Amino acid sequence: MAVDYTVIVVYLAGMLAMGWWGMRRARSKSDFLVAGRRLGPVMYSGTMAAIVLGGASTIGGVGLGYQYGLSGAWMVFTIGLGLLALSVFFSARIARLKVYTVSEMLDLRYGGRAGVISGVVMWAYTLMLAVTSTIAYATIFDVLFDMNRTVAIVLGGSIVVAYSTLGGMWSITLTDMVQFVVKTIGVLLLLLPIAVVKAGGFSEMKAKLPTGYFDPLGIGGETIFTYVLIYTFGMLIGQDIWQRVFTARGDTTARWGGTVAGTYCLVYALAGAVIGTAAKVLYPNLGSPDDAFATIVKDELPIGVRGLVLAAALAAVMSTSSGALIACATVANNDIWSKLRGGSSRTEDAHDEVRGNRAFILVMGVAVIVTAIALNNVVEALTVAYNLLVGGLLVPILGGLLWKRGTAQGALASVIVGGLAVVGLMATYGILANEPVYYGLLSSLVAYVAVSLATPATDAAVLAAWRERLAGRGAPELASEPVAAHQ
């Protein structure tokens, strides 16, 4: 294992080094939170794919393949569909707004009265997303070093907090780009073909497994529909995803770069399902489907390659964890704290703002690590986060982008009614039930439309300012911001 350990240690050291290098580039709020809005298509595509394909997409995707066969690809597939929809239909408009958070967009669209409550909901979502990603370190480090769960979480979490705090989005962008390359090599180019060969090829896999393993809809129509509601729509409105859209240097980069990343997700989804199916042939009696990834890596891969594939798993977890962490800190600082103390989130970029956002990443990072140590059920925590996000925020966000008659009162009612409905239904039906997101989303839509139609239309001046921002005019960016493109 010495060679494998060396690969992992070099990888982790490289992440810290890039964090240090990124710190030298983060000279303004825009640099620190959105990489100066200067990413070209290559870096934008790689980092966007890196953040959406985390530990759940890698370890969980292989586990679903082990349990259901090729139809296990649907979870990650719906993530890719959501990213494609975001990129094609909304990313250009989102990028032109020149904001830092989803709640700022709501303030602009509805006149400044919907942001705080939506900020709290978004903060809870990003916090739990970061927590669930951080817990995944325990699984990977257990395979690597037979390490205690708490020590593994602290070690992995501390590395992510360190490089994220140092350079903000610049550090995260640089590390995500490396992580994208490592994931591509480790999972698609190495683990996928090796797993299929070890399982005897597709003909042998078909001979040894039930036909349901090769049914594209074998996982069930209701499950697929729920995945679409939670993950496809979640991709459209999550702060962690929008914050990456904000890094694009222009409309074309946001649209086409995101389309490439979404297509990559579809390929990654199928790869994970095939690897899981091969693992079912090799290890038909594993205690848990989520053990499939670690088992096939540990037992079937040669020395060195094993280390690189485990580094790929670490890369998947770290990219999502760091993206969720900076999103959580950005929302906490810009949408909640600055408004509670009566400040504005749209002040000029300055050194003290970089220092303030850096402090929030550090504080939120410690909170994430502590919560991850205390929490046991990752699936339930992630389900709560996505149910609140989709049930509470999908309607007012998409309504603001698509329906000019939507009002601040309607948006506020939508967030409150949808959020409370989701919480109440989870208490009634159970956290993992489908009903909370179904009926929560429906109640949010009814509240938004009914209250918007029953209240005066949004002020014409607010809508005019909104249209100006959507057109890319009137954004409060400093004229002195560097404009060089970075590929």
Side-chain angles (χ1 to χ4, degrees), residues 434-454:
N434 293 327
E435 286 83 358
V437 71
Y438 292 170
Y439 298 122
L441 189 56
L442 180 61
S443 62
S444 177
L445 177 61
V446 170
Y448 180 71
V449 173
V451 176
S452 291
L453 292 176

Side-chain angles (χ1 to χ4, degrees), residues 200-235:
F202 285 104
S203 58
E204 189 71 13
M205 290 162 63
K206 286 184 177 181
K208 290 186 175 181
L209 294 173
T211 55
Y213 267 73
F214 301 92
D215 180 358
L217 303 178
I219 199 169
E222 185 178 357
T223 299
I224 295 170
F225 181 65
T226 303
Y227 284 158
V228 170
L229 279 184
I230 293 177
Y231 296 113
T232 301
F233 286 125
M235 287 296 106

Side-chain angles (χ1 to χ4, degrees), residues 128-321:
M128 296 314 298
L129 185 62
V131 165
T132 54
S133 299
T134 302
I135 291 173
Y137 297 126
T139 301
I140 298 169
F141 282 113
D142 178 56
V143 175
L144 283 173
F145 308 116
D146 194 24
M147 187 178 289
N148 174 270
R149 178 183 184 275
T150 299
V151 175
I153 288 172
V154 171
L155 175 61
S158 296
I159 291 171
V160 170
V161 171
Y163 73 69
S164 301
T165 302
L166 284 172
M169 188 60 83
W170 266 124
S171 292
I172 292 170
T173 295
L174 294 169
T175 53
D176 277 3
M177 197 62 201
V178 174
Q179 289 158 356
F180 169 74
V181 173
V182 170
K183 274 192 289 194
T184 301
I185 295 173
V187 175
L188 296 185
L189 301 184
L190 292 176
L191 182 57
L192 174 61
I194 290 174
V196 172
V197 169
K198 291 282 186 177
F202 285 104
S203 58
E204 189 71 13
M205 290 162 63
K206 286 184 177 181
K208 290 186 175 181
L209 294 173
T211 55
Y213 267 73
F214 301 92
D215 180 358
L217 303 178
I219 199 169
E222 185 178 357
T223 299
I224 295 170
F225 181 65
T226 303
Y227 284 158
V228 170
L229 279 184
I230 293 177
Y231 296 113
T232 301
F233 286 125
M235 287 296 106
L236 297 180
I237 59 174
Q239 169 68 25
D240 52 324
I241 309 302
W242 276 41
Q243 199 155 343
R244 294 310 173 97
V245 176
F246 299 152
T247 66
R249 75 174 186 221
D251 296 2
T252 302
T253 297
R255 184 181 294 111
W256 291 109
T259 301
V260 170
T263 305
Y264 179 90
C265 291
L266 304 184
V267 175
Y268 200 88
L270 185 58
V274 171
I275 292 167
T277 304
K280 184 67 175 179
V281 173
L282 295 167
Y283 312 98
N285 300 309
L286 290 179
S288 168
D290 286 340
D291 293 337
F293 180 88
T295 303
I296 197 169
V297 169
K298 191 174 183 179
D299 294 349
E300 302 297 336
L301 299 186
I303 294 172
V305 173
R306 181 170 48 200
L308 184 59
V309 173
L310 286 170
L314 268 178
V317 175
M318 284 184 164
S319 55
T320 299
S321 181

Side-chain angles (χ1 to χ4, degrees), residues 27 333 347-359:
R27 302 180 183 275
N333 188 15
T347 53
E348 290 187 348
D349 290 344
H351 179 67
D352 63 331
E353 284 196 307
V354 173
R355 190 165 53 218
N357 281 291
R358 185 173 281 138

